[in-house]
């Protein structure tokens, strides 16, 4: 069992049980296949002994290889096949072991799946899910580590989610699979797979809202809006600062990148007057830029200080660990930025946590993938 | 028209003529700018749709391309709704959001058409996968041009359909051109040999302006797909008489010659069967008049439609 992050959602207070991100995914995939005989899983290696980092393991034995289907190496074709299958009554769930591979399916995702409903005046629905994993660390490099949420969220017609915890998987995937009648893109983070989270295991537990954003921590000094693994980094930063009594952080997990809860964000910024956005991707034209748009269009006067944003360095991802550690935003930088924002000056004098890279903190295994 | 009282050849000719007359009306209307949508006409190719769709059952599904007026109509799509769609009216088959290039009529199994070359081919494969999983007896038809077979997704689709033995009929309308480029300038393979290399049975119909010849080929292929539950590739040789997109003729601009169109024109049943054409034309024109009037009188989609059905 990995680190058990304590996520302060209402669901985590009673009857808490520790569930890993991976097990939440596996439970969700099994549930989808159980609930609906027309649900199928399609992906390279979904039926093998590794089972998409354990998230589909054993499902081919349980449900058969015609429902948990290994596929040819044909990303565009398979997304098109998923669209056609959805049009004729199936619920396909496609997997990409790396998000980078979904770029080969961009035509089907952007030109077809996202538009099938609108372009035909609502005559069709394309209920389907595409899961893709954002790689990071162990030298994944330029083509195995990209975090492409803003490319997808830019396109009307797609629902894009980035689960940061087991809880966020359990509260959104089953709901979206059952109720959303269009394409859902899930960007899962490789480093989160091994981490355990406290989730409410009591029967009929109230889950946080299925989509939209979630407030994970209330605070009065700074609003941090974060995605994916940066949510956990922000929690660590917030705990550190709370321990020192240095700053009180309000943390919002953006979760649904395509449909953020703007009221939640604006309400928070109205109270704190300070916004920091911590995303897993590049800042330009991305989540960071979009959060600034949301605030500036509503009322830039809400801000008492300029916004700060954290993301990957504006370069392709290098492989050397020394460069990789510089490339990704780390806890020390995040904490420092929060303090600069909260204190209004750079020489705040508050001790920072040590800068062990997130890779070392989160990763429970050594390479290769 | 009720189809019970006439023989198959006459029915096929009627359907072919109907498509031709609809497109001739589009040509007439186009200069008025009432149809503000690129039109890819099937004049010269109508018999492919008429023959092929007559060989299908109502529950069979067809996925098309931007050149889909003919298949939409032949599969049973409503003419009034098509005309209204070309006009961009709220009463169009897709509420005015589709235009000529994205016609759809799911109620009769015409499952949409796309302006991205080859992009609906995998949809047909996926729909066939669904038919197999759900135990449906239907077959699924992918309609595309010769140019579409150059796209990678065509290969991906043939491979998957053959691998999983899916009931798909791949129907290639080989008009010899992609826009202004000849097939010989584009393809290193032979369409049928290529399909054969996947273990997919193939059929060729060389008389693509003869609806009965197309019907016979597609009926035999469809029967095999239906019974054996595995894919087939059908190539129908045909000829596009109008320019690639738009309402003009372009036999004199250099990329092709009037003389190569001539054999197709000479064997055009809509020219040769003049008695039948004369007999059916008035009633079809009345139907078209009615559809045009319907489109003219229909309202534009309102602002409420702009953000409806996005996600
Ligand atoms: C992916 C893509 N590439 C290029 C185009 C531009 N284009 C539109 S139609 C066409 C020709 C396609 O030829 P073919 O498949 O033989 O069909 P035809 O138009 O002859 O019916 C091209 C290149 C496009 N729409 N989509």
């Amino acid at each position: 069992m990995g680190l058990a992050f304590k996520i302060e959602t209402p669901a985590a207070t009673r009857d808490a049980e520790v569930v890993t991100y991976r097990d939440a995914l596996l439970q969700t995939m099994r549930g989808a296949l159980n609930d609906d005989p027309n649900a199928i899983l399609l992906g390279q290696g979904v039926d093998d002994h590794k089972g998409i980092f354990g998230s589909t393991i054993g499902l081919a034995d349980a449900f058969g290889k015609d429902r948990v289907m290994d596929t040819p190496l044909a990303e565009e074709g398979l997304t098109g096949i998923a669209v056609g299958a959805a049009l004729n009554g199936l619920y396909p769930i496609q997997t990409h072991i790396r998000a980078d591979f979904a770029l080969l399916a961009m035509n089907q995702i952007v030109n077809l799946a996202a538009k099938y409903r609108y372009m035909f005046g609502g005559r069709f629905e394309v209920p389907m899910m595409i899961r893709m994993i954002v790689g990071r660390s162990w030298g994944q490099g330029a083509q195995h580590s990209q975090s492409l949420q803003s490319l997808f969220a830019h396109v009307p017609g797609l629902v894009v989610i980035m689960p940061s915890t087991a809880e966020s998987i359990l509260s959104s995937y089953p709901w979206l699979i059952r109720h959303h009648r269009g394409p859902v893109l899930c960007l899962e983070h490789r480093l989160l797979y091994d981490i355990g989270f406290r989730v409410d295991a009591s029967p009929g537990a109230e889950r946080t809202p299925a989509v939209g954003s979630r407030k994970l921590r209330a605070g009065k000094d700074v609003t941090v809006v974060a995605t994916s693994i940066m949510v956990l980094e922000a929690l660590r930063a917030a705990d550190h600062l709370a321990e020192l009594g240095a700053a009180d952080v309000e943390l919002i997990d953006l979760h649904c990148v395509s449909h953020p809860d703007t009221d939640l964000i604006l309400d928070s910024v109205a109270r704190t007057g300070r916004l920091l956005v911590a995303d897993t991707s590049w800042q330009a034209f991305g989540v960071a830029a979009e959060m600034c748009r949301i605030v500036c269009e509503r009322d830039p006067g809400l801000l008492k200080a300029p916004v700060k944003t954290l993301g990957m360095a504006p370069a392709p991802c290098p492989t050397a660990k020394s460069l990789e550690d510089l490339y990704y935003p780390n806890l020390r930088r995040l904490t420092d930025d929060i303090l600069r924002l909260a204190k209004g000056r750079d020489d705040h004098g508050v001790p920072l946590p040590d800068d062990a890279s997130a890779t070392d903190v989160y990763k429970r295994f050594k390479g290769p993938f | 028209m009720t189809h019970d009282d006439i023989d198959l050849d006459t029915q096929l000719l009627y359907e072919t003529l109907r498509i031709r007359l609809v497109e001739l009306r589009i040509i007439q209307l186009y200069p008025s700018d009432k149809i503000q949508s690129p039109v890819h006409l099937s004049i010269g190719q109508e018999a492919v749709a008429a023959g092929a769709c007559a060989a299908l059952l109502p529950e069979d599904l067809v996925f098309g391309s931007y050149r889909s007026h003919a298949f939409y109509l032949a599969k049973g799509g409503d003419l009034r709704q098509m005309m209204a769609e070309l006009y961009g009216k709220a009463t169009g088959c897709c509420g005015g959001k589709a235009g000529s290039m994205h016609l759809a009529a799911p109620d009769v199994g015409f499952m949409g058409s796309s302006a991205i070359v080859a992009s609906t081919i995998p949809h047909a494969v996926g729909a066939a996968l669904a038919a197999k999983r759900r135990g449906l007896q239907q077959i699924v038809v992918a309609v595309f041009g010769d140019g579409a077979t150059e796209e990678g997704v065509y290969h991906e689709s043939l491979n998957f359909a053959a691998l999983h033995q899916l009931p798909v009929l791949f129907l290639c309308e080989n008009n010899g051109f992609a826009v202004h480029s000849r097939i010989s300038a584009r393809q290193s393979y032979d369409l049928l040999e290529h399909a054969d290399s996947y273990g997919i049975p193939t059929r060729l119909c060389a008389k693509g302006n003869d609806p009965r010849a197309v019907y016979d080929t597609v009926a035999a292929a469809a029967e095999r797909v239906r019974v054996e539950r595995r894919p087939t590739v059908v190539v129908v040789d045909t000829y596009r008489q109008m320019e690639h997109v738009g309402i003009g003729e372009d036999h004199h601009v250099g990329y092709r010659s009037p003389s190569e169109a001539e054999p197709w024109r000479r064997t055009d049943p809509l020219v040769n069967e003049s008695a039948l054409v004369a007999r059916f034309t008035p009633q079809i024109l009345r139907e078209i008049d009615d559809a045009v009037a319907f489109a003219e009188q229909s309202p534009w989609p309102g602002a409420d439609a702009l953000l409806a059905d996005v996600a």
Side-chain angles (χ1 to χ4, degrees):
Chain A
M1 197 58 67
L3 311 172
F5 273 89
K6 188 165 166 295
I7 303 295
E8 296 289 348
T9 60
T13 51
R14 289 172 300 123
D15 293 322
E17 173 196 334
V18 174
V19 176
T20 61
Y21 196 81
R22 155 186 303 113
D23 286 340
L25 288 165
L26 180 58
Q27 190 180 321
T28 303
M29 293 299 105
R30 185 184 291 115
L33 293 167
N34 249 330
D35 291 353
D36 178 3
N38 289 327
I40 57 168
L41 259 171
L42 296 162
Q44 293 162 28
V46 282
D47 64 342
D48 72 16
H49 61 290
K50 293 200 171 173
I52 315 296
F53 304 125
S55 68
T56 64
I57 209 141
L59 298 180
D61 287 338
F63 296 96
K65 281 174 184 282
D66 57 336
R67 292 190 66 198
V68 181
M69 193 183 265
D70 190 19
T71 68
L73 282 58
E75 287 77 10
E76 176 180 7
L78 261 298
T79 302
I81 286 164
V83 169
L87 288 169
N88 203 17
L90 299 193
Y91 189 93
I93 302 175
Q94 186 187 8
T95 60
H96 296 287
I97 199 119
R98 283 290 180 262
D100 314 67
F101 309 156
L103 290 171
L104 279 81
M106 219 52 178
N107 177 44
Q108 285 294 332
I109 295 171
V110 176
N111 280 325
L112 285 304
K115 299 180 176 36
Y116 231 88
R117 177 157 175 220
Y118 187 88
M119 184 165 85
F120 297 110
R123 306 286 310 263
F124 297 105
E125 290 175 330
V126 191
M128 60 186 279
M129 176 176 276
I130 304 177
R131 290 176 47 203
M132 59 188 86
I133 294 155
V134 176
R136 172 167 165 182
S137 79
W138 204 267
Q140 295 301 316
Q143 300 172 333
H144 271 44
S145 64
Q146 292 171 93
S147 197
L148 301 170
Q149 60 272 22
S150 53
L151 293 191
F152 299 120
H154 183 63
V155 179
L158 301 175
V159 168
V160 182
I161 60 169
M162 293 192 84
S164 63
T165 65
E167 165 70 28
S168 61
I169 291 165
L170 294 172
S171 64
S172 61
Y173 281 50
W175 189 92
L176 285 162
I177 290 169
R178 248 180 251 136
H179 302 292
H180 185 65
R181 306 292 302 161
V184 177
L185 276 61
C186 311
L187 288 98
E188 299 160 7
H189 201 289
R190 178 66 187 100
L191 289 184
L192 298 177
Y193 265 60
D194 303 286
I195 298 179
F197 297 86
R198 290 187 221 287
V199 300
D200 188 351
S202 62
E206 265 297 295
R207 300 276 182 218
T208 43
V211 283
S213 311
R214 297 105 197 270
K215 189 194 291 183
L216 297 188
R217 192 181 197 290
K220 59 179 177 17
D221 296 333
V222 175
T223 300
V224 175
V225 175
T227 55
S228 187
I229 198 167
M230 294 312 291
V231 172
L232 302 199
E233 290 287 78
L235 270 179
R236 292 206 297 153
D239 285 348
H240 173 85
L241 295 172
E243 235 165 69
L244 299 178
D248 191 13
V249 172
E250 176 142 315
L251 175 60
I252 293 172
D253 176 0
L254 192 64
H255 183 67
C256 188
V257 180
S258 58
H259 298 77
D261 186 337
T262 50
D263 288 342
L264 186 72
I265 294 163
L266 288 164
D267 170 69
S268 176
V269 174
R271 280 182 289 102
T272 63
R274 296 182 174 83
L275 173 65
L276 183 144
V277 186
D279 185 32
T280 55
S281 192
W282 299 293
Q283 288 118 304
F285 300 95
V287 168
E290 177 64 4
M291 292 305 110
C292 292
R293 181 184 75 91
I294 287 170
V295 174
C296 291
E297 280 190 350
R298 179 70 63 95
D299 182 4
L302 297 178
L303 295 168
K304 293 182 203 148
V307 175
K308 281 193 183 297
T309 66
L310 258 84
M312 308 186 296
C317 180
T319 54
K321 184 152 189 312
S322 60
L323 292 175
E324 202 179 55
D325 283 348
L326 292 172
Y327 175 78
Y328 289 112
N330 64 22
L331 177 64
R332 195 180 169 85
R333 259 176 58 204
L334 174 59
T335 312
D336 194 25
D337 274 0
I338 294 172
L339 280 164
R340 289 171 192 232
L341 198 51
K343 305 289 183 200
R345 51 177 208 277
D346 294 351
D347 57 338
H348 48 74
V350 179
L352 298 174
D354 71 39
D355 62 354
S357 71
T359 308
D360 299 329
V361 175
Y362 295 96
K363 200 144 187 172
R364 315 309 293 170
F365 69 92
K366 288 189 176 187
F369 202 48
Chain B
M1 137 154 208
T2 64
H3 287 217
D4 304 336
D5 50 343
I6 50 171
D7 61 52
L8 177 63
D9 285 329
T10 311
Q11 276 179 39
L12 290 170
L13 187 99
Y14 181 94
E15 196 54 47
T16 309
L17 176 65
R18 181 167 173 261
I19 297 165
R20 168 80 50 97
L21 293 177
V22 169
E23 291 208 328
L24 289 175
R25 179 61 63 90
I26 291 169
I27 292 175
Q28 268 178 22
L29 292 167
Y30 212 66
S32 71
D33 291 347
K34 287 184 171 164
I35 298 174
Q36 303 211 5
S37 175
V39 288
H40 299 75
L41 300 179
S42 291
I43 290 178
Q45 304 185 198
E46 305 93 334
V48 185
C53 290
L56 301 177
L57 299 177
E59 66 265 30
D60 294 339
L61 305 180
V62 173
F63 288 83
S65 74
Y66 46 86
R67 195 182 303 287
S68 275
H69 299 164
F71 272 90
Y72 170 95
L73 289 170
K75 190 68 175 75
D78 182 82
L79 177 59
R80 283 177 148 205
Q81 289 186 30
M82 170 177 152
M83 211 41 101
E85 189 60 43
L86 298 189
Y87 270 67
K89 296 297 183 75
T91 53
C93 59
C94 301
K97 288 174 172 170
S100 163
M101 298 200 290
H102 307 299
L103 296 176
D107 41 323
V108 294
F110 188 69
M111 298 297 286
S113 35
S114 165
I116 305 295
V117 169
S119 62
T120 61
I121 300 173
H123 300 175
V125 176
L129 177 70
K132 180 178 177 179
R133 159 117 213 99
R134 296 174 59 207
L136 307 176
Q137 288 310 299
Q138 70 188 168
I139 70 168
V140 187
V141 182
V143 182
F144 49 90
D146 46 290
T149 71
E150 292 147 33
E151 296 285 357
V153 77
Y154 176 63
H155 157 74
E156 297 180 5
S157 298
L158 290 187
N159 179 47
F160 194 90
L163 183 70
H164 291 286
Q165 298 288 286
L166 301 178
V168 198
L169 197 159
F170 296 97
L171 179 56
C172 177
E173 292 188 275
N174 179 12
N175 62 19
F177 290 96
V179 193
H180 309 132
S181 309
R182 271 181 204 281
I183 195 167
S184 58
R186 297 181 283 114
Q187 295 183 6
S188 65
Y189 52 90
D190 172 85
L191 282 168
L192 297 172
E193 283 171 14
H194 172 257
D196 186 57
S197 72
Y198 296 82
I200 298 180
T202 61
R203 278 171 205 271
L204 173 70
C205 174
K207 294 201 285 182
N209 60 357
D210 175 351
R212 181 59 194 243
V214 175
Y215 173 89
D216 288 342
T217 306
V218 174
E223 178 63 12
R224 186 160 179 194
V225 173
R226 203 177 302 284
V227 172
E228 296 180 11
R229 312 306 293 169
R230 66 192 188 104
T232 286
V233 168
V234 173
V235 175
V236 180
D237 290 343
T238 180
Y239 199 77
R240 161 169 63 73
Q241 292 289 352
M242 311 307 292
E243 60 186 333
H244 166 71
V245 57
I247 58 163
E249 294 208 34
D250 64 353
H251 293 96
H252 297 276
V253 297
Y255 77 94
R256 58 181 182 174
S257 68
S259 64
E260 83 178 60
E262 199 35 47
W264 293 97
R265 286 198 166 143
R266 227 181 335 163
T267 53
D268 183 346
L270 297 182
V271 175
N272 297 334
E273 297 286 348
S274 50
L276 283 175
V277 168
R279 180 174 141 210
F280 292 136
T281 295
Q283 74 190 79
I284 297 173
L285 290 182
R286 277 197 299 279
E287 190 197 359
I288 295 172
D289 289 342
D290 165 73
V292 172
F294 175 76
E296 296 264 357
Q297 287 153 22
S298 290
W300 300 103
D304 54 327
L306 181 65
L307 295 180
D309 295 316
V310 174

